[in-house]
Amino acid sequence: MGLFGRRRADPAAGAAPTIDPCVHDPAAADLYEALRLRDRWWAGDFLQAVTDPDERAFYLSVCASVPRLQDWIGTWTRAEPRSTLPLLVRGAHALSWAWEARSEAYAAQGEEHRFPGFSERLELAEACLGEVAARDPGETAAWTFLLACARGGRVKPDEARRRFERVVELHPGHLRAHTEMQTYLCERWYGSHEEMFAFARASVSKAAPGSPLGRLVADAHVEVWRSLPPAQAQAYITQEEVRADLRAAADHSIRHPAYRPQVGWPEVHNAFAFAFALAGDLPAAREEFQLIGDCATRFPWEYLGPDPAAAFVETRDRVLSEGM
């Protein structure tokens, strides 16, 4: 059961790994089900009780993934005009809804008019989140999702950085804000490999031991890998220098004694498992897969093909069998 006791069916024992929009978090599944059933009262009570900035961003990302939320969320905002919470949920969902209108193409490919509905939905997200930020400047989730809007809205670097700085002023180790800013800075969007790595390394060096921010280094190496032709990509990711960098990041992060899993933890461990497996560091990858179990996530396994769950299983089975 979740925080407020909404019941859900347990997964069948021995079931194959699946890509769960709730990231295998029971409370998130309760929230998802409440919104699917249009139970805004239960969802509102749940979200009001979540005050940790990282947890708040995680649960709002779950809200954003609920299908057809746009069909009725206006009822919630009209019913509670003095509350910023319905606007926050609507803005986070509108952002996700906008990306449904276009493909996962590089920023340089195509113009917005090729993706009907994208601009309008993104403008709705900006408007809702901007109003929340204006009415409640301390709402880190609003600034975090505004930062996520920056990529699709072609927001200038200074403004994207302002949104990021607003989050980390309030919560320095905010995981979602850091991953969004790093994505903005990568070569396929508005930066370069050099800017991306500089941001990742600076962020990790400032992070407390045991912080999940170590995943930024893994994500950065994977980003370079996917930007290269296959032969060059393999040569890059299997360098001993890259392996050492990944191990050092994990040692400061998920393998540090101070590390404590937080909600959404499978995302961090899947990121490291993927990078270690690509790099051919089988002992490190094996350790991550043993921790993950069947808790596969869409990112980054979607980089290996249209069926992320199958890619996860194939890689996991290979890593575990080669270690026997």
Side-chain angles (χ1 to χ4, degrees):
M1 290 190 292
L3 186 61
F4 287 87
R6 177 175 290 272
R7 297 183 179 275
R8 62 186 288 267
D10 291 328
T18 58
I19 303 303
D20 180 4
C22 303
V23 198
H24 309 276
D25 182 86
D30 294 341
L31 175 62
Y32 185 97
E33 182 69 2
L35 289 172
R36 191 185 68 80
L37 296 175
R38 305 190 179 191
D39 188 347
R40 61 180 175 86
W41 301 275
W42 191 94
D45 287 345
F46 178 92
L47 291 169
Q48 291 288 6
V50 178
T51 57
D52 177 84
D54 283 302
E55 293 185 4
R56 199 160 172 80
F58 170 76
Y59 287 118
L60 282 161
S61 70
V62 171
C63 296
S65 69
V66 176
R68 311 304 305 175
L69 187 68
Q70 71 274 8
D71 291 350
W72 64 273
I73 187 66
T75 302
W76 189 0
T77 58
R78 289 189 295 272
E80 301 181 34
R82 296 184 179 180
S83 174
T84 57
L85 183 59
L87 281 172
L88 187 57
V89 174
R90 188 177 195 179
H93 181 270
L95 173 63
S96 178
W97 191 33
W99 285 104
E100 290 179 11
R102 58 170 292 170
S103 65
E104 289 292 334
Y106 282 176
Q109 294 178 349
E111 299 295 334
E112 280 76 358
H113 68 264
R114 296 180 58 189
F115 309 104
F118 176 75
S119 295
E120 294 81 0
R121 296 174 189 180
L122 194 64
E123 288 170 5
L124 174 61
E126 281 268 358
C128 292
L129 297 166
E131 183 175 345
V132 174
R135 290 166 57 182
D136 184 2
E139 177 57 82
T140 55
W143 292 107
T144 299
F145 285 96
L146 280 169
L147 174 59
C149 288
R151 228 176 340 126
R154 300 184 184 275
V155 169
K156 298 296 184 184
D158 286 350
E159 173 60 15
R161 178 69 68 167
R162 184 185 77 87
R163 297 178 184 188
F164 171 74
E165 294 294 346
R166 186 62 187 134
V167 179
V168 296
E169 284 171 9
L170 297 162
H171 187 62
H174 200 287
L175 179 58
R176 175 69 183 266
H178 278 83
T179 57
E180 291 292 350
M181 190 70 222
Q182 179 163 301
T183 302
Y184 182 94
L185 291 172
C186 75
E187 186 177 77
R188 64 189 167 107
W189 288 104
Y190 303 112
S192 64
H193 292 332
E194 293 75 19
E195 289 177 274
M196 173 184 66
F197 270 109
F199 176 80
R201 298 195 192 287
S203 299
V204 174
S205 69
K206 291 185 290 186
S211 165
L213 289 182
R215 73 164 286 186
L216 296 175
V217 173
D219 289 347
H221 283 298
V222 169
E223 185 64 32
V224 175
W225 166 82
R226 71 188 299 261
S227 74
L228 297 170
Q232 294 179 36
Q234 176 71 5
Y236 169 81
I237 201 71
T238 55
Q239 295 177 91
E240 182 52 39
E241 180 182 355
V242 172
R243 292 178 183 173
D245 203 25
L246 291 171
R247 290 194 292 267
D251 287 344
H252 186 69
S253 178
I254 57 171
R255 300 200 302 203
H256 193 278
Y259 172 71
R260 298 292 181 273
Q262 58 188 43
V263 294
W265 66 267
E267 295 175 327
V268 177
H269 288 273
N270 274 264
F272 271 109
F274 184 87
F276 279 134
L278 285 182
D281 190 339
L282 297 184
R286 190 178 314 120
E287 181 180 337
E288 293 310 307
F289 280 119
Q290 289 169 342
L291 287 168
I292 291 166
D294 286 344
C295 296
T297 54
R298 179 170 300 281
F299 175 88
W301 302 103
E302 61 189 350
Y303 292 158
L304 296 182
D307 187 342
F312 170 86
V313 171
E314 180 180 351
T315 306
R316 182 189 65 180
D317 291 352
R318 174 178 58 81
V319 167
L320 296 180
S321 66
E322 289 184 13
M324 297 177 64

